[in-house]
Amino acid sequence: MEFLQSIQLDLMAALIGISAAFAVLVVFSKALPKRRRLVITAIELLSVILLVFDRFTYIYNGDPTEFGFLLHRLGNLVIFALMPMCSFVFSHYIMNLVAEEHPQNKTPKRLWFVMVLSFIGVLVVLAAHFTDWFYYYDEAHVYHRGDGFLFCFAVPIVSIVILIWVVFEYRHYFSRIIFVSLLLFLLGPIVAAVVQVFTYGLSLLNIAIAVTSILIYLFAYLDINEKVERANRSKIEYLDERRKLSERLFEQTAKALANSIDAKDEYTRGHSMRVAEYSEKIARHLGKGDEECRRIYYTALLHDVGKIGIADSIITKNGRLTADEYNEIKKHPVIGNQILSSISDYPFLGVGAHYHHERFDGRGYPEGLKGEEIPEVARIISVADAYDAMTSNRSYRSAIPQQIVREEIVKNAGTQFDPVCAKAMQYLIDIDNNYTMKECTAANEVSESGKLFCEEFASAVSDGILVLSHWITVSFDYETEESGEDACPAAFLFDSLDTRYYRDEMSVPEMFSLEYGRIRFDGNVITKGARKIEVRKSGTDGGSIPKTFGAGEGIARKISEAGDGSTAKGPGPGKHTYTIEAVRIKDHGLFRIHNGAETFDVIVAFPDCTRHCYIGLTGAHCTISNIKITHAEEDAPADTIPRIAEEINFIKENEGDIPNVQIDAFRTDASKGIKVTDNLTITFHSMSLPTARLIWHCPYILLFRSDDGKVKGPNYHEIGLVRLDGEYWDGENVKNMSTTTKKSDFCGWEAWKNAHKEGIDVSVSLTRRGNTITVTTENLGVRVENMTILPEEAGDAYVAITGDQCAITNIRIIRPEPV
């Protein structure tokens, strides 16, 4: 306390200066409402006056001069009179806040009562001044507390209690910051007053009033800032929402326009949407940013808008166009540019429409541009447009299998297509293991009516539904007027290049088609290309298998629950709902059938891990409709399917320095990472899997970086990918320079593929000099040399063996012995 007494006058002087400065700031603070500025200014000025006269009372206490005595008495009079006036001004401040936040509410009558009480308090102070009731002076002009000193706090405390009552009642009207400031102003002086009663010589109450008055301004300023920020955020959110709404409206309009163009021909439905999606994927692979990818997407979406100006008879013509018709349709790029150039806010849209039929070699139309004269977006759309055209059905041909399309893109890179864009599309095809980049005629859209009509058994089969490593659920309605066991739906399990079921002798080899087996929903099964099929009552373990059907067996009956071998009946006339759940893990598939009467599992052992498995729905004398397909979000556990046949494994023997690896599809696995050092040599034996049929079904050399040296490890970054056939992929922000040379002993790609089928020994040499890695390998007359230049900050680099449909064994790591 002695310390506070020693600095009390200096503290008062500081607070006087701060309060006076804040009073000036409030006057010029345009952010605050006018009425609130006036009230806060009054609060700050009251604090200044209160402290100025309080200092006088301490400075002139006991001063023998008449001037000192007058100042001391005047100071006490002002101090005691201003304390109730503080309640008056503060009640006005609260009244102002309530009016600002909720102008429709009436002013609380208790605030008026506090104002009246404050005036009464001032009158009591004046009376006490002449009666020495609150304080008096002795002959030496020294101040002493009077008998009624405690009563001087009565009016302020009662006023404060009432104000606290009002503040809590209206707290929902105030912001959090304002509510806290009100409590501080009301509770702070009460605490100070209580302490001051027991500590003579300290003016804690007046100091507390001054401090809280300063906080009133600060908190009011913070509240206004928060409101401004909130208003700005609301404005930004509003503008952002308007922008998103505008984008959604533009997207919906663009899609509607594109769909209306595509709808002119049943063979081009969805074409523009797919081209837009493929174009965006190519752009992302080329490293474009989100905004540029968005522009490329919309440009590609409207690339065929010019077909609006082409006669429907040409657009919808079955078969190939005549020369005159072709010349007519060649006008659509110019028409499209004329239409889209009127959209001034999106000037980039017309570029894709105008130039997407230009060729990289300059033999395209409408202007015959060549190479990089063609805008990049048009070069991207060109390859995406050609890819979708080839992988979609046309009136004069069926969809071309994806692998053949890939070969066409490779063949035409540098002539029809920009080589960079063509290479990006090749990569997208390679990683599309489940063939999702195609014209997706959904299983329930096999006809315009959305229904599949079957006269004789399997006279029509739905498009294939791909079985994946996560559970899929397929439900459908089956309607028939027949009865008996033939009037039952069936699921054909098969694979083909274009996801369609084939049985004619010409199409089966062309489409690389294989039927695994058939499942009738009454429990009958037939095994064809599968190694083995077992039927089990759902949920049973291996000890309760009703029947096993091996490859080559004919139609067999599922044994009933009674075990008497009786034949299940068909569903009978009417409409019935069926469900099939399916999952595939490597070389086994599980198909859970729900036919309304019972549930049973069909386990299929496939002949390999590589081929796909599609479900095709069919029946006899029936209509199949309302097909719905849902997917689980996560892969099924590895032990979901009980194994009924030996695992397909081509890497059991001849393990080298690191474990062997079997790659069933494009980069589905990789060897252990090997740190790249100077003069590193890796040797291994490679054999293509029985299902391999393409040049790129071979080993790949993968260069990468990661914290733990593992493929897909922490901070994994690919540096480059080199295939034994000479193709290569650039890594993330890393360029590769590759050369492929066919030596004199190269006997052609067919012989090259056949040799890989038999198995070859491969040797790969790697050198690292600073940030440059060189990979060299020569196999069957094809020499590949690839140079990769790493960023300056690059650390350790690693190499792994991966590939597509090949088995890698006897991997040996040879490093030079230290000198």
Side-chain angles (χ1 to χ4, degrees), residues 544-577:
S544 56
I545 301 171
K547 185 86 173 179
T548 298
F549 308 109
E553 294 187 25
I555 294 179
R557 305 295 186 187
K558 177 181 74 70
I559 296 178
S560 66
E561 283 187 55
D564 59 3
S566 59
T567 300
K569 300 294 184 182
K575 181 182 286 189
H576 309 272
T577 299

Side-chain angles (χ1 to χ4, degrees), residues 766-784:
L766 297 98
T767 61
R768 177 168 184 176
R769 306 288 170 80
N771 284 338
T772 302
I773 297 175
T774 304
V775 179
T776 307
T777 184
E778 184 175 331
N779 304 280
L780 303 171
V782 178
R783 177 180 174 82
V784 181

Side-chain angles (χ1 to χ4, degrees), residues 593-816:
I593 309 297
H594 306 271
N595 62 17
E598 59 181 341
T599 299
F600 58 91
D601 290 349
V602 179
I603 302 171
V604 179
F606 298 108
D608 54 69
C609 302
T610 303
R611 282 177 171 270
H612 292 143
C613 176
Y614 296 96
I615 300 172
L617 300 175
T618 187
H621 312 294
C622 67
T623 300
I624 296 175
S625 62
N626 196 28
I627 301 174
K628 296 179 181 178
I629 306 169
T630 58
H631 292 258
E633 294 182 357
E634 297 181 356
D635 285 351
D639 59 353
T640 298
I641 307 174
R643 180 164 289 280
I644 61 172
E646 185 180 357
E647 182 181 5
I648 302 293
N649 191 314
F650 296 95
I651 57 172
K652 290 182 178 178
E653 301 175 353
N654 299 325
E655 185 166 302
D657 296 332
I658 59 176
N660 299 333
V661 60
Q662 179 173 317
I663 305 118
D664 294 313
F666 180 76
R667 296 184 58 184
T668 52
D669 207 345
S671 72
K672 180 181 177 183
I674 305 165
K675 185 177 178 180
V676 178
T677 57
D678 195 20
N679 297 323
L680 169 67
T681 300
I682 303 172
T683 63
F684 57 88
H685 183 78
S686 170
M687 183 183 73
S688 297
L689 300 183
T691 53
R693 66 190 187 283
L694 301 169
I695 294 171
W696 54 87
H697 292 163
C698 65
Y700 306 165
I701 310 304
L702 172 65
L703 296 173
F704 68 96
R705 288 181 291 160
S706 68
D707 292 347
D708 58 2
K710 296 179 180 179
V711 177
K712 302 299 182 182
N715 292 318
Y716 174 78
H717 298 282
E718 290 193 1
I719 299 171
L721 184 74
V722 182
R723 293 187 346 198
L724 293 196
D725 66 341
E727 285 200 24
Y728 69 96
W729 306 117
D730 290 325
E732 299 174 21
N733 302 316
V734 177
K735 287 293 183 182
N736 291 268
M737 293 168 284
S738 185
T739 58
T740 302
T741 306
K742 295 176 182 176
K743 310 293 281 188
S744 58
D745 57 341
F746 177 67
C747 299
W749 289 115
E750 198 62 34
W752 195 86
K753 289 191 295 182
N754 291 334
H756 276 270
K757 285 271 191 180
E758 296 296 326
I760 65 170
D761 291 321
V762 179
S763 177
V764 181
S765 299
L766 297 98
T767 61
R768 177 168 184 176
R769 306 288 170 80
N771 284 338
T772 302
I773 297 175
T774 304
V775 179
T776 307
T777 184
E778 184 175 331
N779 304 280
L780 303 171
V782 178
R783 177 180 174 82
V784 181
E785 186 170 355
N786 185 85
M787 181 183 293
T788 303
I789 301 177
L790 305 176
E792 289 295 329
E793 71 278 4
D796 291 338
Y798 298 88
V799 60
I801 312 301
T802 182
D804 192 351
Q805 298 192 37
C806 57
I808 308 299
T809 58
N810 196 25
I811 305 172
R812 301 290 178 179
I813 304 168
I814 304 169
R815 302 183 191 273

